Amino acid sequence: VRATAVRAINRSRDPDSSATLTRALDDGSPLVRLEAAKALANIPTPRAEAKLRTIMVDENEDIDVRIAAADALRHFRDSETQRQLIDMLDNRSFGVAWQSRRSLYLMTGEDFRYDEAAWLKYLAAQQS
């Protein structure tokens, strides 16, 4: 029921629900966390950024939730998020690596595939 409620928020694209979606990332059910991460990809809020990064790198988290978190992070163009996405390019879970690459592409318009050194060089050049 909670997952369905979060999905309904996602479908309505209610920007005032960002606090609810952020809290849902801590829910005990992986299905609720998945729906919350998917909703945050459509209704981004800076208050969820740190939690999404934590979820993405957590090897004990459900793989689908990690992939959805990597997708939602495409909205946050700060260097810390970009670095964590780059770090995930060699993740042993291909789904997380692929979505991290896709989010980096959507952020930058560039595609250095899974070449971490090339991504880091690009980031350094952008910060100069």
Side-chain angles (χ1 to χ4, degrees):
V1 172
R2 293 186 316 275
T4 302
V6 173
R7 184 179 301 146
I9 292 171
N10 185 12
R11 294 190 69 135
S12 72
R13 303 293 197 263
D14 179 14
D16 295 331
S17 63
S18 61
T20 301
L21 296 174
T22 303
R23 279 192 310 275
L25 290 174
D26 294 324
D27 195 274
S29 168
L31 189 55
V32 174
R33 293 192 306 273
L34 173 63
E35 292 299 332
K38 288 164 73 174
L40 288 163
N42 295 317
I43 312 167
T45 179
R47 73 177 67 160
E49 183 179 6
K51 284 186 181 186
L52 289 167
R53 285 195 313 252
T54 301
I55 288 169
M56 179 183 66
V57 300
D58 184 357
E59 296 285 334
N60 296 317
E61 179 61 81
D62 180 83
I63 189 66
D64 292 326
V65 179
R66 293 178 66 208
I67 292 168
D71 181 34
L73 286 169
R74 74 180 185 265
H75 296 289
F76 306 103
R77 293 180 164 92
D78 62 276
S79 60
E80 187 174 347
T81 294
Q82 290 174 337
R83 266 181 125 355
Q84 277 198 315
L85 286 166
I86 290 168
D87 288 344
M88 299 309 291
L89 292 173
D90 70 347
N91 193 273
R92 61 185 158 147
S93 169
F94 179 73
V96 175
W98 185 89
Q99 188 59 59
S100 296
R101 175 185 168 203
R102 180 89 176 128
S103 290
L104 286 164
Y105 169 75
L106 292 170
M107 279 181 189
T108 65
E110 300 289 334
D111 187 7
F112 300 107
R113 303 191 48 88
Y114 299 95
D115 186 346
E116 290 181 54
W119 278 109
L120 291 171
K121 183 178 176 183
Y122 172 78
L123 268 184
Q126 296 304 307
Q127 293 174 356
S128 312

